[in-house]
Amino acid sequence: MNTYGYIRVSSRDQNEDRQRNAFRELSIPVNHIYMDKQSGKDFDRPSYKRMVRRMKKNDVLYIKSIDRLGRNYGEILEQWRILTKEKEIDLVVLDMPLLDTRRGKDLIGTFLSDIVLQVLSFVAENERTNIRQRQAEGIAAAKERGVRFGRPPRPLPEHFCEIYRLLESGKITGKAAAEACGMPLSTFRYRVKVYQENTNNRIF
């Protein structure tokens, strides 16, 4: 029997120390700790796949929390089934002691473990859905207050006002004006629109 630990963080700048420290306390060999830094939306994870191929029957896999397996209710349950049923690996979720397949291997123990797993998987996915909804609502409310997101626009060229007046007077076309400002026509039209809104001018 060998022990393994799996770490997943959802972005390159997210810190994995909390998960790694937990495995260090369990004395899991360093070469038995696998980590992927990418989204949990699917299981296209190189380290995870290598770890699963390496593990044998009766090995023990530790994860810090159930959502390290994924961010989708169905996929979490499917991976749990593959690991515990097909690979016959024991799985331990450190943040939830009830999810420890080493305990209660009789029918009742397995039944209770499966129920807890399904409830926690649903709760984890539902919480992420709520977070996304709150984020969307927050963004919408901020936009209504005039908050702008994304990169700030580049400063207008020094001669933009002069080009704008030539365009307004009909002396040059929109395409020629955009080229003179070094912008694609679509970008130029957008910047003109913003300029008009700020100066109450209209030419289109």
Side-chain angles (χ1 to χ4, degrees):
M1 182 192 74
N2 292 307
T3 58
Y4 292 82
Y6 178 65
I7 298 171
R8 181 184 65 78
V9 288
S10 57
S11 64
R12 293 287 178 182
D13 57 354
Q14 187 176 354
N15 196 297
E16 73 275 6
D17 287 348
R18 189 176 73 94
Q19 298 176 68
R20 195 176 294 279
N21 290 340
F23 298 151
R24 185 179 296 114
E25 293 177 2
L26 293 167
S27 299
I28 297 176
V30 174
N31 64 338
H32 282 194
I33 297 176
Y34 290 78
M35 181 177 69
D36 284 306
K37 284 195 174 185
Q38 60 192 86
S39 170
K41 66 181 179 181
D42 55 45
F43 282 89
D44 185 20
R45 309 180 198 166
S47 292
Y48 179 84
K49 291 179 178 180
R50 286 197 303 272
M51 178 189 69
V52 173
R53 286 196 298 266
R54 183 179 180 184
M55 295 183 72
K56 305 297 182 184
K57 179 180 178 179
N58 295 326
D59 284 345
V60 180
L61 173 62
Y62 290 88
I63 56 176
K64 190 71 173 68
S65 58
I66 191 62
D67 60 355
R68 298 306 87 193
L69 276 181
R71 302 178 65 185
N72 177 276
Y73 173 69
E75 287 178 338
I76 292 175
L77 294 177
E78 176 64 10
Q79 288 302 307
W80 187 278
R81 183 192 66 79
I82 291 172
L83 294 170
T84 61
K85 309 300 184 187
E86 294 184 8
K87 298 285 293 186
E88 297 185 69
I89 293 167
D90 277 315
L91 194 53
V92 181
V93 181
L94 297 177
D95 286 353
M96 180 53 62
L98 285 174
L99 292 179
D100 183 345
T101 61
R102 299 171 302 178
R103 305 174 182 176
K105 287 184 177 291
D106 57 7
L107 183 61
I108 294 178
T110 302
F111 176 71
L112 291 175
S113 179
D114 287 347
I115 289 178
V116 172
L117 170 66
Q118 293 193 44
V119 170
L120 288 178
S121 299
F122 173 78
V123 169
E125 182 176 359
N126 191 57
E127 177 60 20
R128 281 186 291 272
T129 300
N130 290 338
I131 290 173
R132 287 194 295 268
Q133 181 177 346
R134 289 194 294 269
Q135 288 174 337
E137 291 172 351
I139 291 172
K143 286 183 177 179
E144 288 181 1
R145 298 194 304 269
V147 177
R148 294 186 178 182
F149 295 87
R151 294 180 179 179
R154 291 183 177 181
L156 291 172
E158 293 182 359
H159 59 292
F160 181 85
C161 293
E162 180 182 347
I163 298 298
Y164 176 81
R165 285 194 293 270
L166 292 174
L167 178 64
E168 185 180 33
S169 63
K171 294 181 179 179
I172 59 174
T173 65
K175 182 178 180 181
E179 291 177 352
C181 291
M183 302 177 186
L185 181 57
S186 58
T187 301
F188 177 76
R189 288 182 177 275
Y190 171 75
R191 300 302 295 271
V192 167
K193 180 181 178 182
V194 173
Y195 181 77
Q196 290 174 335
E197 291 173 351
N198 292 335
T199 60
N200 294 320
N201 288 320
R202 294 290 185 273
I203 56 174
F204 297 138

